[in-house]
Amino acid sequence: MSNTTRPHLVPVYTAARGIVEGPSIRLSEGSTTLGREDGTGVLSFDGDTLVSRRHARIAVTSDPWRVTVEDLQSKNGTFVNGRPIETLGLVDGDLIRLGQSIFVVRWRSRSEDPASDIGGRAPMQGRMRAEIERIDPHVRRVLMYGSEGCVFDDAVAAVHRRFNPEGRLWVCDGATVSQTELDEALHRSNTVVLHLSNTSSEMLAHALKSPMAPVVVTIPAKPSEWGVAFDDTAAPMFDRTVRIPRLTERREDLLGLLQAALGEDSPPLTIDLIETLLIYGWPGDVTELIEVASELRIRGAGLDALVTELVTPRLRGRRTGRLPPEDPKTEVDMRRPLPSKPDLEGLLTIHQGNVDAIASVLGRSRMQVLAWVRHYGLDEEGGS
């Protein structure tokens, strides 16, 4: 980590406020107790009855900065990246859950980024924002790249505003546009966008050599995967290169993106579903997030809450961890060890009290599911 950065807790979700999009909390050197007994703001855990009075302790040391979390024998446990812990050293990007409150650990230079038309709290989003802020009307060629499934629309619009906020943005569909139409667009537009996935080498070279409108080229792949359509002769022709962060690098922004895709009238998400989505690997990036939101909206219509089971078929078997996936100790099993009461109520409703079907979905025995039903005081029809 840079010498100018220090550890912060970024609030993502709390029982009282729901999805949180405010500034991060700088962690002071020394020991901080988390729980309902002390704390202000989001660290007061208002309304979170699953958080103990003295739930966990965070210890911070400097030179270099190190952060450790310790569970203080809380009733409901402390979780990091979906797994219960007793004591654990934390790294940038780790996800901490206490009760129904979730935080992301980040090394940041400040608690809040400057105001911008480009949203997002994740550090990698901040780097992208800084690159875009360097673009001015004198820049003529911009290359944008991201992972498969990333969405370029907001970043492209931000670049266009730096070129000419009142001008015309023209997106070229290389599969159907002729060179004559491209020439016309280069003369009449203020920004021309070419997606390399459907643009020929000849069309790309022609646009990059044009002295007319600024050109933005997007590539949904890593630089090493650009292929023959983008060679060493084209790369030097760009004035700026902008990398679109992966969704897994934006844990603190994910719930806001999901809520925007779900719509304002969608049922609330259970804490188990929230945690599952935050630790999921998202191989399809933002495009997959939009698909998941669509599935939740359709399959969750009429429910009081959106539960994990609605998207379990898609997420099952996908794992992520802070270390390489071949190390089983750092993998995150997408099956939750204990479903919450709303999750279990939702499953009973969806499966009409069929305990065998619920056991199959959760990968648990029938007797275990019945034990959970009794634990929460439910009957097999989903009522209390």
Side-chain angles (χ1 to χ4, degrees):
M1 294 295 167
S2 167
N3 291 332
T4 62
T5 62
R6 59 180 298 157
H8 287 69
L9 278 183
V10 184
V12 174
Y13 185 89
T14 68
R17 305 186 185 189
I19 298 173
V20 181
E21 297 186 343
S24 60
I25 303 162
R26 190 173 72 174
L27 293 174
S28 301
E29 190 172 358
S31 179
T32 301
T33 300
L34 302 178
R36 291 186 289 109
E37 185 174 75
D38 299 305
T40 58
V42 293
L43 293 184
S44 65
F45 300 99
D46 289 339
D48 197 336
T49 58
L50 298 181
V51 173
S52 301
R53 292 193 307 113
R54 298 180 73 255
H55 194 109
R57 178 184 295 116
I58 289 184
V60 179
T61 58
S62 61
D63 196 26
W65 290 106
R66 297 184 187 277
V67 180
T68 302
V69 62
E70 175 189 2
D71 182 72
L72 299 178
Q73 298 182 338
S74 62
K75 181 178 179 180
N76 295 297
T78 300
F79 296 79
V80 174
N81 297 331
R83 291 191 169 182
I85 60 94
E86 293 182 359
T87 302
L88 185 68
L90 301 173
V91 299
D92 184 76
D94 276 345
L95 193 78
I96 303 177
R97 177 170 68 83
L98 289 71
Q100 298 186 75
S101 301
I102 298 179
F103 303 86
V104 175
V105 178
R106 287 294 187 199
W107 266 249
R108 299 173 53 93
S109 58
R110 63 185 79 185
S111 297
E112 190 171 14
D113 291 318
S116 172
D117 59 335
I118 307 168
R121 296 180 294 168
M124 293 306 296
Q125 186 75 356
R127 292 187 187 182
M128 183 197 76
R129 184 163 47 238
E131 284 298 322
I132 293 178
E133 295 292 358
R134 294 176 59 216
I135 295 172
D136 57 41
H138 300 290
V139 172
R140 310 299 296 171
R141 306 290 180 261
V142 176
L143 171 68
M144 286 188 175
Y145 70 92
S147 58
E148 190 69 33
C150 76
V151 174
F152 292 98
D153 296 2
D154 289 344
V156 166
V159 169
H160 173 59
R161 288 192 291 271
R162 272 66 181 174
F163 285 146
N164 187 337
E166 305 299 327
R168 179 189 177 199
L169 175 67
W170 188 80
V171 180
C172 172
D173 184 354
T176 60
V177 172
S178 67
Q179 185 166 311
T180 300
E181 292 172 308
L182 176 60
D183 283 334
E184 183 177 348
L186 288 167
H187 281 79
R188 295 187 177 184
S189 302
N190 296 95
T191 308
V192 170
V193 181
L194 300 173
H195 298 304
L196 194 63
S197 57
N198 63 2
T199 302
S200 68
S201 300
E202 293 76 15
M203 192 83 77
L204 174 64
H206 183 74
L208 292 177
K209 292 176 182 177
S210 172
M212 304 305 294
V215 175
V216 177
V217 176
T218 68
I219 305 174
K222 298 177 182 178
S224 59
E225 300 169 353
W226 286 344
V228 296
F230 188 88
D231 55 26
D232 292 338
T233 61
M237 299 184 70
F238 291 97
D239 305 311
R240 294 284 186 272
T241 299
V242 177
R243 175 181 173 268
I244 308 298
R246 297 188 302 274
L247 188 56
T248 51
E249 297 173 306
R250 301 185 61 192
R251 274 182 162 173
E252 52 267 68
D253 300 331
L254 189 148
L255 293 181
L257 296 172
L258 177 66
Q259 190 62 61
L262 283 171
E264 295 181 358
D265 298 330
S266 67
L269 284 69
T270 63
I271 192 66
D272 298 270
L273 175 58
I274 289 172
E275 185 178 38
T276 296
L277 295 177
L278 287 171
I279 63 178
Y280 179 54
W282 296 107
D285 210 72
V286 175
T287 298
E288 185 176 10
L289 179 74
I290 295 170
E291 294 170 354
V292 166
S294 178
E295 291 179 20
L296 287 170
R297 190 168 54 248
I298 294 170
R299 301 186 67 193
L303 297 180
D304 292 332
L306 299 179
V307 297
T308 309
E309 197 272 345
L310 295 172
V311 288
T312 294
R314 172 188 284 273
L315 305 184
R316 180 182 286 153
R318 299 286 173 82
R319 301 173 179 225
T320 185
R322 65 160 77 151
L323 295 180
E326 59 267 24
D327 183 353
K329 293 183 179 179
T330 63
E331 294 179 346
V332 177
D333 193 338
M334 298 311 298
R335 297 176 302 178
R336 308 299 339 122
L338 175 64
S340 67
K341 183 176 180 179
D343 258 4
L344 198 54
E345 287 176 321
L347 290 172
L348 288 166
T349 301
I350 291 169
H351 294 285
Q352 299 179 332
N354 188 330
V355 175
D356 290 331
I358 297 172
S360 176
V361 166
L362 296 175
R364 305 296 182 183
S365 69
R366 186 176 191 277
M367 293 301 295
Q368 179 66 77
V369 174
L370 287 173
W372 286 335
V373 170
R374 289 192 293 269
H375 171 75
Y376 288 124
L378 304 174
D379 59 42
E380 293 183 23
E381 301 300 322
S384 299

